[in-house]
Amino acid sequence: MYNPKSLKAEEFISDEEIRDTLAYADANKDNIELIDSILEKAKERKGLSHREASVLLACEDEKKVQEMYTLAEQIKKDFYGNRIVMFAPLYLSNYCINGCVYCPYHIKNQHIARKKLTQEEIVKEVTALQDMGHKRLALEAGEDPKNNPIEYILECIKTIYSIKHKNGAIRRVNVNIAATTVEEYRMLKEAGIGTYILFQETYNKKSYEELHPYGPKSNYAYHTEAMDRAMEGGIDDVGLGVLFGLELYRYEFAGLLMHAEHLEAVHGVGPHTISVPRLKRADDIDPDTFDNGIDDETFAKICALIRISVPYTGMIISTRESQAVREKVIKLGVSQISGASKTSVGGYCEEEPEEENSEQFDVSDKRTLDEVVKWLMEMGYIPSFCTACYREGRTGDRFMSLCKSGQIQNCCHPNALMTLKEYLIDYASEDTRKIGEALIEAELGNIPKEKVKEICKENLLKIEQGIRDFRF
Ligand code: SAM
């Protein structure tokens, strides 16, 4: 039954194949010879299959786990350098007709305040986000064809791209909305979205159906096959994710990699990003009532193994995680993080009174964007506000070719420095600016091509003179 090329959910995410994989991983978790050969293969930086990666996940040998971490760190450095891309979520509406038992937006929640941003409110929210320095957003909305039809989402995207406040602009809008039709994906593509993100929540069909008892999202196949429809609609950057805590993490890990293998097999390009959210406390949701929570160490191991298994896929971590956890997993492979996020509808403009709570979940990292930027730089990372790739048409396999060509240091690196410079001049505190200027100076030396370095230096000067939006 298992067929990565099939377009049927139950064939490319075959339950039988996952169970066989887990049994194989259990049987081989102490097989050091096999583990060494898998690690050797991983060192070629061409990725691992779900079976190979599952053996590593099952292995508990401390020395081998340490080798996995070291390799993940090295691959992270080779592919992503020390750049960390910044973004923020923007909640448009929490009206929802689904019954997801882990999400406070489920239709039966009478307690949560229901809100939907008007276009005027979007202008205010986006202005507040621009004033922090954000250039890249992930739009979030519940599923509700009456309150949040595609026309509403499209109108919001148009409004967001049109807002030019001081030197601010949102240059890339990613979208995280419910699974939809090819036709609607095509409309999103035409509206100029970056990545289409949809979390699978769980790859286990039986659990999926229990966790989504009613509403359009209850259709496992329709949800699981969404990325194929998105790609058919012309979106070639798609973002996968699992909500860790719902099902056995080893099952989810195998499923996630099988999904990536499926996209590669059918469309010739794997996922652009993988997100690793963990279940959090929320309005009427108590994460302790779910049995499959994972500790920080297991979480870190999953992140490291995703890095090793799909080296070209970006990895995203949100403010669901604390500063300490973020610090750990950024090192092991995360390439994109959110900063100063609000998970309420309208939260960037106004603090919500307790009785009007519209939040999707509790945020652990509550620092300002300036604090996050400073923290990253103090650890030696370059916070990047770059959005160049998709604006230059480098999406899907064209982005992958850039990664594979080894030209990232001549492209993403100067772009990161130039967008950081904009941030420092337009939004940073005095302290952050000082650290940033020194970092840029030092990092200019890491641009390999002389010509690119010269252009980058010239552009940095122009940014000081007030010109914006340079890119390679
Ligand atoms: N409604 C769309 C959908 O169903 O895909 C949009 C996604 S929703 C706004 C964003 C994501 O938040 C969900 O896919 C889910 O994984 C996550 N989420 C929901 N409840 C959560 C909770 N209690 N803790 C952490 N993440 C949660």
Side-chain angles (χ1 to χ4, degrees):
M1 270 288 272
Y2 172 51
N3 177 7
K5 283 202 165 142
S6 166
L7 291 175
K8 284 198 179 128
E10 283 173 64
E11 293 177 8
F12 66 82
I13 306 289
S14 149
D15 178 63
E16 196 184 338
E17 172 59 20
I18 298 185
R19 289 183 196 284
D20 284 354
T21 297
L22 299 189
Y24 173 77
D26 272 335
N28 286 290
K29 71 186 177 58
D30 300 315
N31 181 347
I32 299 296
E33 205 178 315
L34 177 67
I35 289 162
D36 279 341
S37 72
I38 297 173
L39 281 167
E40 275 315 303
K41 182 178 172 198
K43 284 181 192 157
E44 290 168 22
R45 289 149 167 69
K46 290 189 186 129
L48 293 177
S49 70
H50 61 275
R51 280 216 175 199
E52 293 160 337
S54 293
V55 173
L56 297 189
L57 186 60
C59 165
E60 284 167 358
D61 181 288
E62 248 176 60
K63 196 164 148 260
K64 293 296 145 196
V65 173
Q66 200 45 54
E67 279 180 44
M68 294 172 209
Y69 283 2
T70 308
L71 181 58
E73 271 183 47
Q74 197 51 51
I75 291 181
K76 160 89 199 285
K77 275 195 198 125
D78 295 349
F79 282 75
Y80 300 87
N82 52 351
R83 296 174 300 281
I84 300 289
V85 170
M86 308 299 302
F87 79 98
L90 174 61
Y91 281 75
L92 300 178
S93 163
N94 66 355
Y95 284 91
C96 193
I97 58 167
N98 283 313
C100 316
V101 304
Y102 49 84
C103 179
Y105 292 170
H106 65 89
I107 192 171
K108 290 191 180 153
N109 188 351
Q110 304 279 331
H111 175 259
I112 201 161
R114 298 287 171 178
K115 297 183 188 174
K116 170 185 169 182
L117 297 178
T118 63
Q119 298 311 303
E120 290 71 34
E121 286 165 337
I122 286 182
V123 174
K124 286 191 192 150
E125 287 284 285
V126 171
T127 304
L129 283 156
Q130 288 186 6
D131 276 341
M132 285 184 222
H134 278 296
K135 299 281 187 273
R136 175 189 292 245
L137 299 184
L139 300 191
E140 309 281 339
E143 180 167 16
D144 184 334
K146 280 213 183 92
N147 283 297
N148 320 327
I150 192 72
E151 292 73 20
Y152 169 70
I153 307 289
L154 296 171
E155 195 186 359
C156 295
I157 296 171
K158 205 169 163 197
T159 301
I160 293 167
Y161 277 134
S162 75
I163 303 164
K164 302 281 178 294
H165 163 69
K166 296 185 180 163
N167 282 334
I170 298 302
R171 298 174 182 157
R172 178 175 178 133
V173 175
N174 296 334
V175 172
N176 180 5
I177 60 165
T180 185
T181 59
V182 174
E183 200 183 30
E184 294 197 353
Y185 285 126
R186 197 162 285 130
M187 292 176 183
L188 287 170
K189 171 73 182 173
E190 278 160 17
I193 70 159
T195 313
Y196 171 65
I197 301 163
L198 182 71
F199 299 159
Q200 178 63 30
E201 322 297 7
T202 175
Y203 283 98
N204 184 313
K205 184 174 183 227
K206 190 168 166 288
S207 305
Y208 184 96
E209 288 172 349
E210 284 162 14
L211 291 159
H212 305 93
Y214 50 84
K217 194 167 168 177
S218 61
N219 185 335
Y220 173 81
Y222 190 74
H223 189 82
T224 312
E225 293 159 10
M227 293 315 192
D228 296 297
R229 291 194 301 280
M231 286 187 153
E232 198 185 328
I235 298 175
D236 42 15
D237 284 348
V238 298
L240 304 181
V242 149
L243 185 55
F244 285 102
L246 300 179
E247 240 299 335
L248 294 174
Y249 71 89
R250 292 176 55 206
Y251 192 104
E252 304 295 26
F253 179 75
L256 189 59
L257 291 183
M258 283 164 79
H259 201 170
E261 286 162 20
H262 160 73
L263 295 178
E264 180 88 47
V266 175
H267 306 280
V269 54
H272 188 65
T273 54
I274 289 181
S275 298
V276 285
R278 278 197 285 187
L279 188 62
K280 297 278 303 178
R281 189 167 299 281
D283 187 66
D284 65 346
I285 308 296
D286 177 0
D288 296 337
T289 57
F290 293 79
D291 296 332
N292 296 303
I294 49 173
D295 59 28
D296 292 350
E297 203 45 55
T298 309
F299 185 63
K301 192 171 173 194
I302 291 170
C303 292
L305 289 177
I306 291 176
R307 180 69 302 128
I308 289 176
S309 307
V310 280
Y312 296 111
T313 300
M315 212 193 305
I316 302 182
I317 192 120
S318 74
T319 53
R320 288 176 183 88
E321 300 298 336
S322 65
Q323 174 178 338
V325 170
R326 278 161 46 111
E327 197 161 318
K328 189 165 186 173
V329 295
I330 284 173
K331 200 165 156 203
L332 293 172
V334 165
S335 53
Q336 250 189 67
I337 70 167
S338 48
S341 305
K342 298 281 182 198
T343 66
S344 49
V345 182
Y348 291 107
C349 281
E350 274 168 38
E351 199 65 32
E352 279 185 329
E354 187 100 344
E355 64 284 3
E356 261 187 44
N357 171 34
S358 69
E359 270 180 3
Q360 198 187 19
F361 51 81
D362 287 355
V363 159
S364 293
D365 186 343
K366 295 189 194 316
R367 292 172 295 168
T368 63
L369 186 60
D370 191 70
E371 286 165 338
V372 174
V373 165
K374 183 165 172 257
W375 162 74
L376 285 172
M377 295 192 302
E378 282 171 340
M379 294 189 295
Y381 294 106
I382 309 171
S384 172
F385 293 87
C386 179
T387 53
C389 272
Y390 104 106
R391 295 163 80 216
E392 291 292 322
R394 289 190 298 259
T395 56
D397 54 356
R398 274 151 295 169
F399 170 73
M400 295 299 166
S401 326
L402 172 74
C403 295
K404 291 174 190 171
S405 71
Q407 283 307 306
I408 277 208
Q409 258 331 78
N410 283 314
C411 187
C412 303
H413 193 72
N415 282 339
L417 298 182
M418 293 188 297
T419 54
L420 174 62
K421 178 82 175 180
E422 291 186 342
Y423 174 84
L424 296 178
I425 292 189
D426 289 337
Y427 309 105
S429 66
E430 197 54 42
D431 258 13
T432 305
R433 187 174 309 145
K434 267 194 206 138
I435 299 169
E437 294 292 357
L439 181 75
I440 292 176
E441 198 51 43
E443 289 290 345
L444 274 170
N446 293 329
I447 301 175
K449 265 194 192 156
E450 264 323 301
K451 180 83 189 138
V452 174
K453 194 188 294 180
E454 281 318 305
I455 298 173
C456 182
K457 277 187 186 165
E458 283 165 25
N459 290 346
L460 289 170
L461 281 176
K462 287 183 191 157
I463 292 170
E464 279 180 12
Q465 290 154 9
I467 307 172
R468 295 288 174 271
D469 203 11
F470 294 100
R471 61 180 183 265
F472 288 97

